Amino acid sequence: MKTYACVVCVVLAFAGAASAQTTNSSYEVATFGSPPGGGAWSGDTISVAADGQGSILALRRADPPVLVFDRNGELLDSWGDGLFPNNHSIDVDHEGSVWITDRTNNMVHKFTMDGRPLMSLGTKGVTGDKDSTDAFDGPGDVAVAPNGDIFVLDGNARIVHFASDGSFVKIIGGVEGTGPGEFSGAHALALDTEGRLLVVDRQEEAHNPRIQIFDQNGRFVEEWPRITGLLHPSGITVGGDGTVYISESDDANITIVRDGEVVEWIAGLEARPHNIVWDAGTGDLYLADSNAPGDIKKIIRK
């Protein structure tokens, strides 16, 4: 009887929201998982991550902030009470370590999958400037290369590059503006299949969101300007074949890009996608819905 009950819970965890649909008939969308106790979601669900081995992580602005699920939506673990006054992103590196940014404390933290602290970057409560090597100003996202190098997208219109041991390497960017290699509202960061850094640069004042691309040496490579449909992009993730998925908060869709060109949309989502992740183990997408009550959506290509 106990086994039957667990199966029912898992099925309901994924099948819970038949109303979460898309106008793209090639995809199926459903609400994924539920918080501890199986109750209603609360607080913004601000970011998602996947380790490619079966764990899906959600970061929300409620306690416990970190929720770890299996691919069926069953809650495996939760942790982090009281640790992050203003969490913004969660990522999992190639070794399975978890990275979380905290914009209020100006910190970037590295944890084990079960929440044991491994490393912190930044100086707690100190606001760094464009030249700081040990302090941030509202760090927004993290990307970790296969060799362990760490790239932090900082509110100082820059990416800060650290070695795997946390030692400072260099600053990429650092100039506020709308020119090539300059940032104006940079919000999210990812590494593509070529190892290049892809930056979601909102350029809100210019009403011209774009993706800027750098190599890991900090050289500006190119930009993808005026990608059709982008109004207020918030997240970015890259599939195994190099396809780029961009979550669009204000237009309730996901823009799919190959080689800088839009190939399709997953549109009409009943969500406000703040962050998105591609699961390397299945090819499924997960998005953090920052609309109240703030849950997770799982997107499967049919």
Side-chain angles (χ1 to χ4, degrees):
M1 187 68 178
K2 182 177 180 181
T3 301
Y4 174 76
C6 289
V7 170
V8 169
C9 289
V10 170
V11 170
L12 290 177
F14 179 63
S19 62
Q21 299 296 323
T22 171
T23 56
N24 189 329
S25 61
S26 296
Y27 293 87
E28 179 180 292
V29 183
T31 299
F32 174 85
S34 60
W41 288 90
S42 61
D44 284 349
T45 302
I46 202 72
S47 188
V48 284
D51 68 354
Q53 305 299 314
S55 294
I56 310 300
L57 291 80
L59 182 66
R60 62 179 186 155
R61 289 171 174 164
D63 282 334
V66 181
L67 308 180
V68 184
F69 299 91
D70 66 16
R71 289 183 177 128
N72 292 315
E74 182 178 2
L75 184 65
L76 304 176
D77 198 4
S78 62
W79 48 270
D81 285 25
L83 291 183
F84 318 111
N86 187 18
N87 56 48
H88 190 260
S89 68
I90 188 168
D91 296 275
V92 179
D93 66 24
H94 295 270
E95 295 182 345
S97 298
V98 179
W99 295 83
I100 296 174
T101 58
D102 178 354
R103 285 183 149 179
T104 293
N105 281 338
N106 294 317
M107 296 294 292
V108 175
H109 301 287
K110 178 183 181 182
F111 299 91
T112 60
M113 187 64 69
D114 60 0
R116 180 169 58 86
L118 296 174
M119 178 191 295
S120 291
L121 300 174
T123 305
K124 186 176 180 179
V126 173
T127 301
D129 60 24
K130 296 181 188 301
D131 299 316
S132 297
T133 62
D134 61 354
F136 305 114
D137 183 7
D141 206 355
V142 178
V144 182
N147 69 351
D149 279 13
I150 307 154
F151 299 88
V152 177
L153 184 63
D154 185 28
N156 282 310
R158 64 182 189 159
I159 299 168
V160 189
H161 180 185
F162 299 91
S164 59
D165 63 359
S167 58
F168 171 79
V169 177
K170 63 178 174 293
I171 292 169
I172 300 172
V175 177
E176 184 84 23
T178 59
E182 300 173 351
F183 295 137
S184 178
H187 193 81
L189 176 68
L191 284 162
D192 71 5
T193 52
E194 299 177 44
R196 305 181 305 175
L197 295 157
L198 276 58
V199 182
V200 174
D201 190 13
R202 283 176 167 173
Q203 296 198 117
E204 291 167 323
E205 292 185 6
H207 304 289
N208 182 28
R210 61 182 175 172
I211 306 300
Q212 294 205 75
I213 302 175
F214 300 80
D215 66 22
Q216 291 186 29
N217 292 319
R219 183 180 66 89
F220 172 77
V221 177
E222 64 175 324
E223 68 176 51
W224 300 341
R226 300 191 182 281
I227 296 176
T228 305
L230 285 189
L231 298 176
H232 197 68
S234 294
I236 188 168
T237 190
V238 182
D241 63 354
T243 300
V244 176
Y245 303 87
I246 304 167
S247 51
E248 166 59 67
S249 293
D250 286 356
D251 206 19
N253 68 37
I254 296 164
T255 302
I256 303 175
V257 179
R258 295 193 188 100
D259 300 320
E261 300 292 334
V262 176
V263 294
E264 67 179 319
W265 291 270
I266 305 173
L269 295 168
E270 296 178 10
R272 190 172 191 270
H274 183 264
N275 183 252
I276 187 170
V277 69
W278 178 81
D279 181 359
T282 63
D284 298 334
L285 295 167
Y286 296 84
L287 68 84
D289 181 4
S290 59
N291 266 342
D295 55 28
I296 310 167
K297 301 293 190 297
K298 182 175 184 177
I299 303 171
I300 300 172
R301 190 171 187 95
K302 296 179 182 177

